[in-house]
Amino acid sequence: MTDSICYRDAYARSVEATVRAVEAGDAGATLVVLDRTVFYPGGGGQPSDRGLLLRASDGRRWVVRTARKSGGDIVHELETGPPGDAGASAGPVDPPAVGDRLQADLDWARRHALMRTHTALHALCGVVWRDYGALVTGGNMEPGTGRMDFEFERMSGDLVDRIEATVNAELAQGREVRVNVLPREEAFAIPDLIRTKVNLLPPGIGEIRTIEIVGLDLQADGGTHVANTREVGAIRVTGYESKGRINKRIRIALDEPV
Ligand SMILES: [Zn+2]
């Protein structure tokens, strides 16, 4: 199993690691498994990280274009661009070898934007649930922009303006964001978690990771978030639309460019 540092320390952007496996992926891609990594493998609406693998012994570097879970491991997929690409290597030509010591480095600007965006979406969920009792049914994000779907029959333009102002007031309060790992039974006893469909988690999972914006929102969640809502800044609602009579979508963007 890969030691997946992002789940306990979202601010770790670099780690020294040993190559455990190198495999061929689809379309000539090279897949690298390390004993530990800071890369988030994607999931829960948050895209996977990008970044670099660096070999100090000869200065060689590889661009990681995506990462994903495979069993208990996190697989890093290397860029296969033509040789001589800006900073990139031709992935399959000369991959790292099992046993190599590498440094795994995130594209931190991108990851941090995702952490801010992800936390903003939790604040949005928390406000919409607390003030309107609307359940979230799905969501997705890119660095700096995101969308959430709600069972929210009476959503309107006026309401959306009010929601934007309320979310920004909550973010500005500087609420702490906590990560907890709870035994399954304990997590199931928290009424707030039921609305995020914690009961859909496979029975084999004995522990549940929760993200709490203290005083505002609590969800079962696998992503990466900032430690305080002040770090998000402010959001703008950039659109809303009906996806049916009941299902509505709200789009947001972080207020400052990322
Ligand atoms: Zn989250």
Side-chain angles (χ1 to χ4, degrees):
M1 291 230 329
T2 307
D3 179 14
S4 305
I5 293 165
C6 66
Y7 298 115
R8 59 178 187 271
D9 182 6
Y11 288 86
R13 41 178 115 176
S14 179
V15 70
E16 293 283 336
T18 302
V19 176
R20 284 213 353 244
V22 180
E23 292 153 20
D26 294 339
T30 298
L31 309 177
V32 176
V33 177
L34 305 172
D35 62 341
R36 65 176 70 94
T37 191
V38 289
F39 281 73
Y40 178 66
Q46 182 181 336
S48 84
D49 286 323
R50 298 179 193 151
L52 294 172
L53 301 181
L54 309 158
R55 188 165 60 194
S57 61
D58 63 355
R60 189 70 199 267
R61 45 192 258 158
W62 296 267
V63 174
V64 178
R65 66 180 172 198
T66 185
R68 60 182 163 272
K69 266 196 170 142
S70 174
D73 287 329
I74 291 177
V75 171
H76 307 76
E77 184 175 318
L78 304 185
E79 196 66 73
T80 54
D85 240 13
S89 59
V93 176
D94 186 15
V98 171
D100 278 0
R101 290 289 289 168
L102 303 181
Q103 184 176 315
D105 269 358
L106 294 185
D107 176 344
W108 175 249
R110 181 174 180 278
R111 154 68 92 75
H112 189 243
L114 285 166
M115 286 161 57
R116 292 171 59 217
T117 308
H118 198 149
T119 308
L121 290 172
H122 281 240
L124 174 65
C125 276
V127 164
V128 169
W129 171 251
R130 182 195 64 194
D131 294 356
Y132 306 97
L135 283 165
V136 66
T137 57
N140 214 337
M141 75 198 80
E142 292 296 326
T145 62
R147 62 169 170 79
M148 297 237 82
D149 296 338
F150 297 95
E151 291 175 356
F152 197 176
E153 194 170 356
R154 61 201 178 93
M155 192 184 73
S156 68
D158 284 351
L159 269 191
V160 161
D161 287 347
R162 209 179 312 161
I163 288 166
E164 178 186 276
T166 308
V167 168
N168 284 333
E170 292 292 343
L171 293 172
Q173 287 210 20
R175 293 186 182 278
E176 191 191 337
V177 183
R178 287 186 194 150
V179 183
N180 284 302
V181 178
L182 303 175
R184 185 185 181 86
E185 299 69 37
E186 208 175 305
F188 271 61
I190 301 172
D192 259 14
L193 284 185
I194 302 306
R195 73 185 161 90
T196 57
K197 300 185 167 59
V198 67
N199 48 338
L200 297 180
L201 294 171
I205 295 180
E207 288 188 322
I208 292 177
R209 183 173 181 266
T210 64
I211 304 297
E212 179 179 19
I213 299 180
V214 175
L216 180 63
D217 185 64
L218 177 63
Q219 298 188 31
D221 191 291
T224 62
H225 309 77
V226 293
N228 188 290
T229 57
R230 207 170 274 134
E231 207 172 317
V232 176
I235 63 148
R236 271 174 300 120
V237 172
T238 54
Y240 66 97
E241 59 210 74
S242 266
K243 310 298 286 181
R245 187 172 61 84
I246 294 178
N247 292 307
K248 315 289 162 150
R249 173 168 293 176
I250 298 178
R251 298 179 186 278
I252 64 163
L254 298 184
D255 211 11
E256 37 175 300
V258 292

